[in-house]
Amino acid sequence: MTFPGSPLRIVVVYVSLVLSSVLWPAASVAAQDNGIRGQERLQLEMFLELESVSDPQLSPDGFQILFNRGWIDPVNDSRESAIWIMDADGSRARFLVDGSSASWSPDGTRIAYLASGEPRGSQIFVRWMDAEGAVSQITRVENSPSNVRWSPDGENLAFTMDVDSEPDFRISLPSRPQGAEWVEDPKVVTRLNFRRDRVGYSDGGYAHLFTVPAGGGAPRQVTQGDWDHSAPEWMPDGQELVFSSLRVDSAEYRWRQSEIYAVNVRSRAVREFTSRRGLASGPVPSPDGRHVAFVGGEWHDDTYRDREVWLVDRTGANLRMISSGLQRSAGSLMWAQDGSGVYFDVDADGTRNLWFASVSGGARRITEGNHMLSTSSVDGGGQAVGVRTTSHDPGQVVTFALNRPSEIRSLTRMNESLLSEVELGEVEQLWYNSQDDYRIQGWLIKPPDFDPSQRYPLILAIHGGPHGMYNVGFNFSWQEHAAQGYLVLYTNPRGSSGYGSAFGNAIKNAYPGDDLHDLLNGVDEVVDRGIVDEENMFVYGCSGGGVLTAWVIAHTDRFAAASVNCPVINWLSFVGTTDGSGWYRNFQSFPWDDPTEHLERSPLMYVGNVSTPTMLMTGEKDLRTPMGQTEEYYQALRVLGVPAMMVRFPDEWHGTSSVPSNFLRSQLYLQGWFQKWSRSSPALE
């Protein structure tokens, strides 16, 4: 089968069709019988008007809250943010300063934050919180700082910054002739992991810890060596910074290992808290300095295992796990002000809630709710703030008392004016049975004005990771699909996080594989209701979702069209070209010892079974699933005569939506491709 028409002409036609809202008859805005205009449907261009909130921080006295407010700049095709402030009851919300990542000084008189500065990139600024509101740029460094932390006395700031290192191998060129223009010097690579998606090719630098006076001055590097160091946290006495790293010889060859350390900010002496050949990250000292809490676990070769909360004494003794009974992964640790234990977020069954683990052991849930609640600040008075999103709310700053966690109150009304007149699709939770006695969770978004007596086209969306978790948070992309008249099904097949270690590790040495059944059984669950137009079912996913989409269409022809986005197609060629050497351990054997598994799990080996019209979308700068993977699959499909189209996004890393206009393009290409191969409408000429 040949592909009709030139790609450029097809794209232009697709965009025109989508913007004129004629993709599906159900996509038009319905008018009420009485002639009065009813609620409108979500329109793609509304994406450019969406705003977001993040990282709310309570002031030390509990009276004010800092938070980031984000928006899209459609003129410059970028995402922007500013720091806002409001009273703790949500009143007097107002702009404070351009920037992000704000934090209060211990006495509440100043804030530190990141913003664009000289000589380039992000720099650290401090603003005084008095009536004058004076602002000072604190750093003027060549590489952008991050992870800024106030010292307990408010006199210094700690941060991380990449430090360039000299190449291990040098050459000396002859002198250039006067006026000569020679090509740029080559990159010299000696590290095992020499590239990272959204960063690029490494020049040999490492992330190190620094301190700088909060009133300005010369930054001082406090860690040394050829190792990366994580975000620092101050010990309460202000003498040491704790962090995670792996400061051992040949650290880059130690797979999935990290330890907790402390560095004396004056002497730069480093001591090790843990030494257990395991995973340890996110260390946070207790208020009295007696303990350090962190998340991690013992070393393992599983592809997934839940991260527990651990505690170690300041001396490095008495290492123990204190989150028994959790059976889910912990993250974002925050100590109770009285030192009785730590609060942390937990993702479980598509939701996120706050939990607490006591220093004496045992974890308990604090909040309940069908939401994604990310708690970011807890004060000594028992008040907490965070951001909550639900299936119909993109996100609000919320507050609640720890002794009354059911009384969660929104402090912002973001996007209310934009969405108040929009009818969003109903979101229904599903649980269904799959092979091997697995219970699978999913959700179904129905088009506005859904009529159960009619049949609708269905889109199956597959998440990446593969250890990811679809959840109950707001998703503009899927709601916009529903507004175009589609049913949208998204599920968490085996291998997903949020359901325990055994469920997540079910795909060890078996990915992709039987997770196919979990996806198709979800489709059957919806089809059996009699609401699906089975002739018009579509499937797509990116990254791990792209892998599974290619796997699905190699094992069934039920779908009218597919979009295999940023995929892994050939495990043999992928492991040596992706941005992390750990992928070499994705199967039981190295490919040079036994390539069998790499071949058996590669969608490329099954391309001869594919008849589904397939689009591929990938960023040209992608270093996680490099463009070569997409090219291999596209070319194989075309050689076999399968209708295929490749969409290459310039200046995109992994994924296709980091730039706002590319999100719009991704939506339009998806719906245009699915419409083209709709079996109820003739293909576009």
Side-chain angles (χ1 to χ4, degrees), residues 34-290:
N34 59 11
I36 299 174
R37 180 177 177 274
Q39 286 189 317
E40 64 178 331
R41 295 200 174 193
L42 192 67
Q43 304 295 317
L44 183 59
E45 55 268 29
M46 291 179 180
F47 175 76
L48 299 176
E49 301 177 62
L50 275 180
E51 294 188 275
S52 64
V53 290
S54 62
D55 195 28
Q57 297 291 325
L58 279 161
S59 61
D61 61 12
F63 291 158
Q64 293 181 299
I65 299 171
L66 295 170
F67 64 98
N68 292 335
R69 185 166 181 169
W71 69 93
I72 290 172
D73 177 357
V75 174
N76 296 300
D77 203 10
S78 62
R79 291 178 169 86
E80 304 295 338
S81 69
I83 300 165
W84 280 53
I85 191 169
M86 62 183 168
D87 292 349
D89 62 1
S91 63
R92 299 199 314 132
R94 57 211 184 271
F95 167 82
L96 187 65
V97 66
D98 287 324
S100 63
S101 305
S103 60
W104 294 94
S105 64
D107 62 3
T109 61
R110 294 158 293 164
I111 65 168
Y113 62 96
L114 297 174
S116 296
E118 298 294 336
R120 61 174 179 266
S122 294
Q123 300 291 339
I124 300 174
F125 289 76
V126 166
R127 183 189 190 276
W128 275 255
M129 298 302 288
D130 53 17
E132 182 181 355
V135 173
S136 292
Q137 181 176 334
I138 302 303
T139 60
R140 287 174 172 81
V141 290
E142 292 295 319
N143 297 329
S144 294
S146 59
N147 303 311
V148 181
R149 303 290 190 269
W150 286 94
S151 63
D153 61 6
E155 294 297 317
N156 293 282
L157 296 163
F159 61 93
T160 57
M161 186 176 69
D162 287 344
V163 177
D164 300 333
S165 58
E166 296 296 326
D168 295 334
F169 191 88
R170 291 178 173 274
I171 60 171
S172 297
L173 286 173
S175 299
R176 301 184 188 186
Q178 186 174 2
E181 295 184 3
W182 291 7
V183 299
E184 182 182 356
D185 289 340
K187 291 181 171 66
V188 177
V189 176
T190 58
R191 295 178 63 174
L192 174 61
N193 297 311
F194 59 92
R195 58 195 160 203
R196 193 182 344 154
D197 195 69
R198 301 191 184 279
V199 174
Y201 287 81
S202 170
D203 59 2
Y206 293 88
H208 282 283
L209 306 189
F210 289 76
T211 61
V212 65
R220 182 172 181 266
Q221 184 175 337
V222 297
T223 57
Q224 309 292 329
D226 291 343
W227 301 292
D228 286 316
H229 303 78
S230 75
E233 295 290 347
W234 290 89
M235 293 295 285
D237 60 10
Q239 301 300 307
E240 291 181 306
L241 294 169
V242 295
F243 59 92
S244 65
S245 182
L246 188 62
R247 295 171 55 92
V248 298
D249 292 339
S250 303
E252 61 184 346
Y253 294 97
R254 303 288 187 93
W255 184 48
R256 290 183 179 170
Q257 292 184 51
S258 56
E259 303 290 354
I260 305 300
Y261 300 86
V263 59
N264 186 290
V265 295
R266 291 187 180 275
S267 69
R268 306 182 194 180
V270 176
R271 64 186 180 94
E272 193 175 55
F273 268 106
T274 62
S275 180
R276 59 202 188 94
R277 194 174 175 259
L279 289 165
S281 63
V284 185
S286 61
D288 60 8
R290 294 175 56 195

Side-chain angles (χ1 to χ4, degrees), residues 381 477 555 599 623:
S477 175
H555 291 81
L599 291 172
L623 293 178

Side-chain angles (χ1 to χ4, degrees), residues 2 202 206 593 639 678:
T2 58
S202 170
Y206 293 88
D593 291 330
V639 164
S678 164

